Amino acid sequence: VQLTESGGGLVQAGASLIVSCVGSGNSLSYWNMAWFRQAPGKEREFVGGIDWRGGRTAYSDAAKGRFTISRDNGKNAVFLQMHDLKPDDSGVYYCAADTKTTGIATITSGIATSVSRYDYWGQGTQVTVQG
């Protein structure tokens, strides 16, 4: 499967932005999906995740209340809607697929937040927030 992100850009603090991820080569509808971000000199960090049906989500503390992850399995796409952006939100945003966690495992253990749990990654889209 290939994941392609888009929608990044340069915005002012307080602005909103939506980044998108479209899959090709396989259906994303079977898998939990997530957004990660990586700032220069920092480790890649979890931002938000969504289960395969779109019924369960998880967010980092930094994203909670400002970001919303969603998916449209009919379009084979995942989205991250970001509001009230801050300079600390700057970085490359990556879409990732967890192909190994089953639905039952998601119910019992939740959505994975570790980089190592995700098997497929996009090339990323740059988000820069000027403050």
Side-chain angles (χ1 to χ4, degrees):
V1 63
Q2 283 192 313
L3 302 175
T4 303
E5 301 95 335
S6 63
L10 173 64
V11 298
Q12 296 298 312
S16 297
L17 197 64
I18 299 175
V19 289
S20 303
C21 170
V22 176
S24 60
N26 210 330
S27 173
L28 303 183
S29 63
Y30 306 117
W31 304 327
N32 296 347
M33 301 293 295
W35 286 94
F36 287 76
R37 69 187 182 193
Q38 188 167 21
K42 294 189 176 181
E43 293 187 352
R44 194 169 298 188
E45 64 175 359
F46 175 82
V47 175
I50 189 166
D51 74 350
W52 64 280
R53 294 183 301 175
R56 184 170 183 163
T57 58
Y59 297 95
S60 66
D61 287 343
K64 210 169 293 183
R66 297 187 299 125
F67 293 6
T68 302
I69 188 171
S70 62
R71 67 190 302 159
D72 185 336
N73 287 339
K75 295 181 179 179
N76 218 29
V78 182
F79 310 96
L80 183 69
Q81 188 171 26
M82 302 180 284
H83 296 293
D84 189 24
L85 283 161
K86 307 176 188 305
D88 283 349
D89 294 319
S90 297
V92 179
Y93 280 69
Y94 296 93
C95 174
D98 173 4
T99 67
K100 294 184 176 64
T101 301
T102 65
I104 292 176
T106 302
I107 292 171
T108 57
S109 304
I111 292 166
T113 61
S114 171
V115 168
S116 63
R117 293 283 299 276
Y118 289 82
D119 313 286
Y120 292 99
W121 295 83
Q123 83 291 345
T125 185
Q126 177 71 47
V127 173
T128 303
V129 184
Q130 289 188 333

